[in-house]
Structure formats: C-alpha cells, structure tokens
Amino acid sequence: MTTVTRFAPSPTGYLHVGNLRTALFNHLIARRTGGKFILRLDDTDPERSKQEYADAIREDLEWLGLTWDQEERQSARLDRYEAAAQDLRDKGRFYEAFETPTELDLKRKKQLNMGQPPVYDRAALKLSETERDALRAERGMGVWRFLLDQERIEWTDGILGDLSIDAASLSDPVLIRQDGQFLYTLASVVDDTDMGITHVVRGSDHVTNTATQIQIMAALGFAAPNFAHHSLLTGPQGEALSKRLGTLALRDLRAAGVHPMALLSLMARLGSSQPVEIASSLDDLAAGFDLAHFGAAPTKFDVDDLYPLTARILAAQDLSVVADAVRAAGVPDDLAPLFWQVTRENITTLHDLAGWWQLCRDGAAPLVDAEDQAFITEALALLPEPPYGPEAWSNWTNAVKEATGRKGKSLFMPLRKAVTGRERGPEMADLLQLLQNKPTL
Ligand code: GLU
C-alpha cells in the first residue's frame, strides 16, 4: 500500500518552526517510501483564512524544498462535509444544540464548582421536537454535536504508544457551528478518508481530537489511518514557545539568513534519539527518518542553534552555489572566487558577506592598542599602494619585522587588528589581495 501523508495548515497566519516539524515529518515519511505528500489548506473559516497566508505557506514550503504531490482546499469540499453530516444525522449520531456560549460557560463553572469534569451534559438530546422548533424560532439555528459512544477509545500511536481515552470524559464535539460552518474535526475526517491518508502525524495538542475523530470515522464506516503525535516544541529552558512563535516564523528565519538545510537537519532530529547532523538533502534525511526514534517529552528548541549549522553548511559550499549572494554583496565577478575563499569560513550567514566586502572596498575602522600606535604608523609607511598580489603580505610583514624587530604574534596580531578591525578572521595573505585601498589609521 502506498503511504499517503498530508500537512494541513490553516491559512490564518505564517508557518513557524512548530508547523515545520509537522510538515517535515509527514514529508519525510512519504518521501522515504516513495509515497504521496498532500498539502491541504484547512480554510473552512472564511473570516480568518487569507489568500496571502496560503501563498506564504506555499512559498515557505518551497524554500525548504518540501514539495507536495497534490494540493487540496477544504473550502472546495463543503458538499462532501454536508454529505457526511447528513449520514451522521441519519445514523442518529448528530444532534442540534442551542445553548449560548454564556450558558455553556455557566454550566462548566457549576460542574467545576461541584468537582465534576466540565463535560457537556447533553441537555439538547432531551429536547422534544416542539422544544427544538421553539428554540430555533427564538435563537436561530443551533450547533451540531456528534454523539460520542461513551466507551474507551484506544489506538497505538506511532510515537506515544498505546493510548486509551475515556470518551465519557469528553464533550460531544461541535462539528457544525451555528452559522453553518463545518469545523475541522469533521472536515479532516472526511478528507483523510477521501484522500486515502495512511498516516496522520501531528502535534500532541491533537490527541483529544484524534480520539473523537476515531469515533466519527467509525460512525461513518471509515477505516482509521495510523496516528502519531509528536511532542510540542518549547524554548531552550523548557518554557512554552507559543508566545514566541510569532518571532519564529519560517519567513523571518529565512530573512535572517538561516540556511534551509540547517533548519531541516535540526528539525528532523531534535527530540529524537539520533544526533543532529547536517544532511546533504531531503532524501538523505528521509533515508534515516523513523518516528520510533522520537519520544513523548517536550522538545527543547533554541533558535540560536540554527546559526552554527548555517555557518558550517555555508563553509562547505562552492562559489557557484552562493554566486548570487556574493554578487549582491557588491563583489565584482573577477574577485568573487578569492572573496569566497577568504570569507566562507568567516561568516555566520550570507548577510555577513556585505560587511566583508565593505571592509575590502572601504577598509575597516582600525583596532589599535595604545602601545601599538607608533608601531602601526611605522608599519603602514612600509606598505605600498594596492593592488596587492599573493606575495604582498609576506613582503610587507618581512619589511616590518626588519624595521621594528617584532616577530610572531606581536608582529602579526596588531597588523591584523589594524587592517581588519578585529582579532580573528581570514588568512591575511588572501585578504590583503582583496583590499581596494591602502589601510590608513
Ligand atoms: N488544520 C489543523 C491544524 O493546523 C490540522 C491538524 C491535522 O493535522 O489534522 O492544527
């Protein structure tokens, strides 16, 4: 049987690192087995769903190379949800309820005060036809709730293992809102079945949904797919990430210069028993991917981990891969090969290239210790005007050594600091050749 997975974001915002984990896992599972990966836009809420976000979701997935084989939109499938709803009505598993949100809130508070779980009391089930008509005339359409079978719902989760949830501890889920809008819980069940989804992998915040969806599927005569729920990401100290997710949007990370393979390599391994390694491709990641390596504990995520990974990936790139970025930094094409050789191991992201080129073109603000002031003045007098060839650095340092008697670190470090304005950086013999002007104090 072909594996079919899906990533089902709601186009109500930008994708963030948490969403990426879900998308990546589903993509890798399909990719590893030559299966199918579907992008499904859960856009049944016309007020919150925006075309702009749908476009952004596609763009972010493309940036990461998480290509999909098929795209679906829930808003185009409303007739399918209506048919399923009718089927549930016919089977006596769907009932209309008229409580207002305030009334429901009051009921919950009463239950909690009496030490009872705040589960919907099914008062609407007891309404007579006449009472229902009267409520409808007074309040308009009700919501539609699915009548749960009050038994234990059990499944073997691909990550969490054997799960058992008592349906009596759950409220009958609302599947259609008062305004007629189908809710995700029903829509997703219909889609997963119609689209032949074999594996549903999503965050552990959906465990309760899964329990109710298993019952809805059974009621509709659908076979349940395999479910797996990955842990949710937390910040580095274990703090909830939800408030920070706005700052961890994939597009912001892209703008900050994070390399897509850094993000993918980290996300494919974080929270698993396998170490994070830089992968060469998504196929590479897919080959070693197995949900069985993941655990239930919340997964700590530190956005700062993405930068050393990005730096290592960049250091290994050929110029051809980064040529556009080198050009965009202002580097003339004839200097690009040497420039990349000089900078590749001295950048964190490609954004740093502009600073290095500025240094080559305009010079740095020199860093000169008080005791080196006279030494640097003397040394600079011994440096000819550019262009500098491959021998320029050794010629210069030899001349300075001879004139001043300095050698080793006390010779080289002050020169480096004066020319580059920093203590560490590229080979000076290489860098010097890129300087467009003679350094000055
Ligand atoms: N639209 C749902 C969400 O983003 C999809 C959950 C699912 O994968 O079923 O949470």
Side-chain angles (χ1 to χ4, degrees):
M1 192 166 74
T2 316
T3 302
V4 186
T5 63
R6 84 305 193 271
F7 173 50
S10 300
T12 53
Y14 295 119
L15 295 184
H16 51 67
V17 283
N19 304 126
L20 169 61
R21 203 146 179 253
T22 311
L24 178 62
F25 285 14
N26 283 289
H27 179 91
L28 293 180
I29 290 168
R31 195 167 186 128
R32 193 187 55 177
T33 55
K36 189 156 96 172
F37 175 60
I38 298 175
L39 171 62
R40 186 184 90 199
L41 295 170
D42 284 2
D43 60 349
T44 49
D45 184 339
E47 252 138 57
R48 295 180 58 226
S49 300
K50 300 256 166 353
Q51 185 59 37
E52 173 202 344
Y53 292 128
D55 293 341
I57 287 169
R58 282 191 218 98
E59 194 182 287
D60 290 342
L61 293 177
E62 276 164 6
W63 170 59
L64 292 160
L66 297 178
T67 49
W68 53 99
D69 305 295
Q70 185 178 325
E71 183 174 329
E72 300 284 349
R73 270 177 180 268
Q74 290 194 326
S75 57
R77 297 177 39 77
L78 302 182
D79 53 339
R80 294 291 304 136
Y81 311 145
E82 182 49 53
Q86 195 48 50
D87 197 14
L88 291 176
R89 278 184 203 107
D90 294 345
K91 287 173 168 156
R93 297 296 296 274
F94 222 21
Y95 63 97
E96 200 174 0
F98 298 89
E99 290 90 347
T100 63
T102 322
E103 285 168 349
L104 288 173
D105 210 37
L106 211 65
K107 283 190 188 202
R108 273 194 293 268
K109 279 192 184 124
K110 269 194 197 153
Q111 287 167 314
L112 288 170
N113 278 341
M114 290 162 63
Q116 291 166 356
V119 174
Y120 177 59
D121 62 6
R122 296 184 160 174
L125 262 186
K126 298 175 198 97
L127 295 173
S128 68
E129 196 65 47
T130 334
E131 287 169 321
R132 261 199 297 273
D133 288 345
L135 280 166
R136 219 178 272 132
E138 182 197 320
R139 302 185 169 187
M141 297 296 284
V143 303
W144 285 84
R145 288 183 183 266
F146 174 71
L147 184 65
L148 286 166
D149 256 339
Q150 295 196 328
E151 58 186 25
R152 296 202 79 86
I153 305 166
E154 302 188 325
W155 76 95
T156 302
D157 192 276
I159 293 175
L160 302 175
D162 287 339
L163 293 184
S164 171
I165 291 182
D166 184 3
S169 69
L170 306 175
S171 295
D172 289 338
V174 173
L175 302 187
I176 302 181
R177 292 201 326 194
Q178 194 190 17
D179 62 4
Q181 190 188 120
F182 291 104
L183 289 177
Y184 149 82
T185 311
L186 174 64
S188 188
V189 157
V190 175
D191 293 344
D192 287 339
T193 305
D194 281 359
M195 294 165 201
I197 304 298
T198 58
H199 295 73
V200 170
V201 183
R202 55 192 177 196
S204 52
D205 49 338
H206 282 290
V207 166
T208 310
N209 277 338
T210 297
T212 58
Q213 287 179 334
I214 285 174
Q215 276 211 7
I216 298 169
M217 286 180 163
L220 289 167
F222 300 161
N226 297 294
F227 287 103
H229 297 84
H230 59 71
S231 65
L232 300 183
L233 296 181
T234 70
Q237 259 71 55
E239 70 276 22
L241 208 55
S242 49
K243 285 185 202 71
R244 284 196 57 210
L245 284 176
T247 62
L248 294 172
L250 300 186
R251 52 193 37 230
D252 295 335
L253 297 177
R254 169 161 44 128
V258 167
H259 194 282
M261 204 40 85
L263 196 49
L264 296 168
S265 299
L266 185 68
M267 281 302 164
R269 292 289 174 82
L270 209 62
S272 82
S273 52
Q274 294 178 298
V276 175
E277 284 160 6
I278 292 171
S280 56
S281 65
L282 277 161
D283 284 328
D284 188 15
L285 282 177
F289 188 79
D290 190 343
L291 286 180
H293 293 140
F294 289 83
T299 300
K300 289 184 179 153
F301 168 77
D302 189 346
V303 67
D304 291 338
D305 290 343
L306 292 168
Y307 293 96
L309 289 172
T310 296
R312 272 170 55 205
I313 292 169
L314 289 177
Q317 304 286 351
D318 284 334
L319 173 61
S320 57
V321 180
V322 296
D324 286 347
V326 171
R327 198 169 296 133
V331 182
D333 283 351
D334 56 327
L335 295 181
L338 182 60
F339 180 81
W340 180 238
Q341 182 196 314
V342 164
T343 52
R344 61 197 290 169
E345 294 191 3
N346 292 286
I347 52 172
T348 303
T349 74
L350 291 173
H351 296 324
D352 298 338
L353 292 177
W356 280 112
W357 175 244
Q358 195 189 6
L359 188 155
C360 296
R361 192 190 54 207
D362 306 333
L367 201 60
V368 183
D369 295 341
E371 69 267 25
D372 291 329
Q373 207 73 41
F375 167 71
I376 292 296
T377 307
E378 190 178 354
L380 287 177
L382 292 166
L383 180 67
E385 289 293 324
Y388 302 118
E391 307 300 326
W393 172 251
S394 60
N395 290 344
W396 182 34
T397 50
N398 280 336
V400 175
K401 186 173 166 184
E402 216 157 280
T404 65
R406 286 209 196 195
K407 56 185 182 182
K409 199 175 172 202
S410 70
L411 168 69
F412 295 115
M413 186 52 95
L415 294 180
R416 172 184 288 281
K417 281 160 60 180
V419 172
T420 67
R422 38 184 124 184
E423 290 186 356
R424 266 174 297 276
E427 281 297 326
M428 289 302 293
D430 295 332
L431 181 69
L432 205 65
Q433 297 174 59
L434 291 165
L435 296 190
Q436 305 299 295
N437 293 293
K438 181 178 159 169
T440 51
L441 268 186

